[in-house]
């Protein structure tokens, strides 16, 4: 029987050297995973979706501000609010929350917001005023004022039907419709490329279906405003609005932005529901519909007051002229329906742009009005509704809560799958597919996660495993390059990657 020999020091050194490569990757992998966790969560917290809610900052009338803060329900998803009560003796204003992250503080009566479709009440008033001046008649065909549309289906519709959203035209012209898709995809302004000339060109080829009934149409109201400019022999919509409405009423801070240079430098930024900054909207063609109107609470209160007391130019626009479905009626732009509290009627319009929501409602019989301006896409209608009726601001329902947290679970799972496979794959393609699917989950989470209650750090938790997977793949290929496709079932992994790419691009259309 032979006695085992004790390894020499040289053999021990060689054994240690052989073991070292197996230990070093373990340490490296742990370092990659740890760094990815820290970086992922830090990035999510720093630049990820935000939990928006109205802060304690307040300006203006404290009693009104307290009333808004005490409304039943939650102010989550709003960032800043400007509200006003308007009556025969004037307006009372209050601002809540921090409107601009770079300049904290609540909005004042002179803070500039994007107004959105409340602009249609300006266009309606211009229409009523033009009727009173004898420049147009409600039954005029559009081609009578826009001769380029002579012989087209759009040229035959009446001016009244344009204002009442019953013309049969689609909601947007072809150019804006195409830009709306890319605008959603890239979070960009969909109205920039539609000039007045392009608006008319789109109308010349637009389908008209009067049988479709009442269909809300930015296209129709923009064509109406363009016709009114021609009927008045004005330079453009901005000058007509200034001459006939804003200057006579002293609304000095209300402007429309036909170009990016027309956007007021002091306008507060707007935000999506997940805290992502929204693009500024500007563009010439859709100005009459409210694509890019900027105003202040003080100016909008002047507009409300003038309509209540009958001194507004074109105040006849308030009077209903046609049904609009679901018990509502419409005048020249203004909508009349049952009041939020169920007592009588309210005459109103709301508005929205890329990152703003607005609401103005008039009680013509009582001589009062209320306005709410928000610089996120959480509906300002909810504030006006709760203010008037005491009904709770609608909360995120339990189904939506479950879906939002389910999306987090899906994103985390897809990210973890990418991480786990990165340790084992013998070719790059399966991991590329995994990372594409993880990207899909992360984009979906960014858009539709539970940002009504948490911040971007949660997104960072889901992002960290995918980031670690990338680091591990880099580490592995630096030591021994991996082939692109596996030798078996390569077709399957190509299909996984391609389908993942398609749904990843598709989910971006949620924006």
């Amino acid at each position: 029987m032979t006695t085992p020999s004790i390894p020499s020091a040289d053999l021990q050194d060689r054994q240690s050297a052989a073991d070292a490569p197996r230990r070093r990757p373990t340490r490296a992998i742990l370092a990659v995973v740890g760094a990815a966790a820290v970086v992922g969560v830090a990035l999510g917290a720093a630049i990820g979706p935000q939990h928006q809610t109205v802060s304690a900052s307040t300006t203006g009338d404290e009693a009104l501000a307290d009333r808004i803060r005490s409304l039943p329900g939650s102010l989550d998803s709003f960032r800043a609010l400007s509200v006003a009560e308007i009556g025969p003796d004037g307006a009372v204003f209050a601002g809540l929350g921090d409107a601009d992250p770079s300049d904290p503080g609540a909005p004042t009566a002179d803070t500039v917001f994007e107004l959105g479709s409340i602009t249609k009440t300006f266009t309606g008033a211009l229409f009523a005023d033009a009727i009173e001046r004898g420049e147009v008649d409600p039954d005029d065909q559009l081609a009578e004022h826009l001769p380029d549309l002579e012989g087209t289906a759009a040229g035959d519709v009446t001016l009244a039907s344009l204002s009442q959203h019953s013309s049969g035209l689609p909601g947007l012209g072809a150019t804006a419709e195409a830009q709306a898709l890319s605008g959603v995809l890239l979070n960009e302004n969909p109205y920039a490329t539609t000039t007045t000339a392009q608006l008319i060109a789109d109308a010349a080829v637009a389908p008209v279906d009067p049988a479709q009934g009442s269909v809300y149409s930015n296209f129709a109201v923009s064509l109406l405003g363009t016709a009114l400019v021609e009927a008045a022999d004005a330079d453009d919509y901005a000058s007509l609005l200034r001459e006939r409405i804003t200057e006579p009423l002293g609304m000095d801070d209300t402007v429309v932005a036909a170009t990016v240079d027309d956007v007021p430098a002091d306008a507060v930024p707007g935000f999506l529901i997940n805290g992502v900054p929204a693009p500024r909207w500007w563009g010439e063609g859709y100005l009459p519909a409210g694509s890019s109107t900027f105003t202040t609470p003080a100016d909008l209160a002047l507009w409300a007051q003038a309509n209540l007391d009958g001194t507004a130019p074109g105040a006849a626009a308030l009077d209903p002229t046609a049904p609009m479905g679901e018990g509502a009626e419409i005048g020249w732009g203004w909508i009349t329906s049952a009041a939020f509290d169920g007592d009588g009627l309210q005459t109103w319009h709301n508005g929205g742009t890329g990152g703003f929501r607005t609401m103005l409602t008039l009680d013509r019989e009582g001589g009062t009005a209320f306005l709410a301006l928000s610089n996120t896409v959480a509906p300002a209608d909810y504030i006006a509704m709760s203010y008037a009726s005491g009904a709770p601001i609608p909360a995120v329902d339990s189904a939506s809560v479950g879906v939002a947290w389910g999306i987090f679970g899906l994103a985390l799972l897809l990210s973890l799958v990418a991480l786990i496979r990165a340790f084992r794959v013998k070719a790059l393609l399966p991991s590329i597919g995994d990372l594409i699917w993880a990207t899909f989950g992360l984009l979906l989470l960014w858009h539709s996660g539970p940002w009504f209650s948490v911040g971007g750090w949660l997104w960072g938790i889901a992002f960290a495993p995918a980031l670690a997977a990338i680091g591990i793949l880099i580490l592995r290929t630096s030591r021994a390059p991996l082939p692109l496709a596996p030798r078996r079932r390569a077709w399957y992994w190509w299909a996984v990657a391609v389908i993942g790419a398609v749904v990843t691009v598709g989910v971006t259309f949620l924006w």
Side-chain angles (χ1 to χ4, degrees):
M1 185 171 182
T2 304
T3 303
S5 60
I6 299 174
S8 67
D10 183 58
L11 287 175
Q12 289 176 344
D13 288 343
R14 286 200 299 271
Q15 184 65 44
S16 297
D19 290 342
R22 289 195 293 271
R23 290 197 297 269
R24 281 198 296 270
T26 301
R27 290 196 294 268
I29 286 170
L30 289 174
V32 166
V33 172
V38 172
V39 171
V41 174
L43 280 175
I47 64 174
Q50 299 174 15
H51 172 210
Q52 298 184 121
T53 193
V54 176
S55 74
S57 298
T58 300
T59 59
D61 187 82
E62 292 186 5
L64 177 56
D66 288 344
R67 182 172 179 184
I68 299 300
R69 290 189 189 280
S70 63
L71 293 175
S74 172
L75 293 178
D76 281 352
S77 300
F78 294 95
R79 179 184 289 268
L81 292 167
S82 185
V83 298
E85 298 173 323
I86 300 108
D89 297 327
V92 176
F93 299 92
L96 301 83
D98 292 295
D100 187 346
S102 66
D103 185 20
T108 70
D110 297 318
T111 297
V112 179
F113 286 78
E114 294 181 28
L115 182 62
S117 285
I118 295 177
T119 303
K120 291 180 175 67
T121 67
F122 299 160
T123 302
L126 290 172
F127 184 30
D129 184 64
I131 294 169
E132 293 171 8
R133 292 170 182 260
E135 295 172 345
V136 301
D137 185 87
D139 293 328
D140 286 351
Q141 292 184 326
L142 183 58
E144 294 179 44
H145 303 286
L146 299 178
D148 288 347
L149 297 180
E150 188 70 42
T152 69
D156 291 339
V157 305
T158 66
L159 300 186
S161 71
L162 294 171
S163 189
Q164 296 160 342
H165 300 291
S166 60
S167 66
L169 284 163
L172 292 172
T175 302
E177 182 67 37
Q179 291 298 315
L181 292 176
S182 63
V184 167
L185 178 65
L186 302 174
N187 191 28
E188 293 180 346
N189 171 19
Y191 293 108
T193 59
T194 302
T195 61
T196 299
Q198 186 60 56
L199 181 83
I200 296 171
D202 287 344
V205 297
V208 176
D209 179 15
Q212 73 183 359
S214 180
V215 171
Y216 190 85
S217 177
N218 288 321
F219 192 28
V221 177
S222 295
L223 287 166
L224 172 63
T226 303
L228 296 175
V229 170
E230 294 299 317
D233 196 25
D235 291 336
D236 50 33
Y237 182 80
S239 61
L240 182 64
L241 179 67
R242 183 171 57 251
E243 175 189 336
R244 295 192 174 178
I245 291 182
T246 58
E247 281 190 354
L249 294 179
M251 297 168 61
D252 299 331
D253 294 317
T254 299
V255 298
V256 291
T259 70
V260 67
D261 292 335
D262 296 329
V263 174
D266 57 347
V268 295
F271 298 88
L272 305 181
I273 204 71
N274 56 5
V276 172
R280 287 290 185 208
W281 284 5
W282 51 269
E284 180 185 65
Y286 283 83
L287 291 179
S291 62
S292 43
T293 302
F294 295 81
T295 193
T296 63
D299 271 15
L300 194 57
L302 288 174
W303 178 237
Q305 185 84 58
N307 277 281
L308 287 171
D309 63 24
T311 60
L318 291 159
D319 297 328
T321 57
M324 203 181 176
E326 299 184 3
E329 294 181 292
I330 187 167
W332 306 140
W334 288 98
I335 300 166
T336 298
S337 62
F340 285 131
D341 62 3
D343 184 16
L345 298 174
Q346 62 180 354
T347 302
W348 61 276
H349 212 295
N350 57 5
T353 62
F356 291 79
R357 294 294 183 268
T358 59
M359 180 66 174
L360 174 61
T361 179
L362 313 179
D363 176 355
R364 297 178 66 189
E365 184 176 349
T368 61
F370 180 79
L371 66 84
L373 308 176
S374 165
N375 69 329
T376 73
V377 296
D381 307 42
Y382 292 165
I383 303 299
M385 176 196 69
S386 184
Y387 164 87
S389 69
I393 297 169
V396 180
D397 59 68
S398 58
S400 296
V401 171
V403 168
W405 283 101
I407 289 171
F408 167 69
L410 174 65
L412 181 60
L413 175 63
L414 292 172
S415 196
L416 286 170
V417 167
L419 174 59
I420 292 168
R421 202 189 305 273
F423 287 103
R424 304 170 53 192
V425 290
K426 297 180 180 179
L428 289 174
L429 185 57
S431 275
I432 291 172
D434 291 339
L435 288 168
I436 291 173
W437 278 97
T439 301
F440 158 75
L442 290 166
L443 287 173
L444 184 62
L445 177 62
W446 190 291
H447 180 273
S448 301
W451 314 125
F452 43 80
S453 61
V454 295
W457 57 267
L458 187 76
W459 188 87
I461 289 175
F463 173 55
L467 184 62
I470 294 171
I472 289 169
L473 289 172
I474 293 173
L475 183 65
R476 288 189 61 191
T477 54
S478 69
R479 297 179 60 81
L482 295 172
L484 174 62
R487 282 182 285 182
R488 298 179 59 188
R489 297 204 304 167
W491 63 269
Y492 171 80
W493 295 111
W494 278 114
V496 168
V498 170
I499 294 171
V502 169
V503 298
T504 298
V505 171
V507 77
T508 62
F509 282 88
L510 288 173
W511 277 268

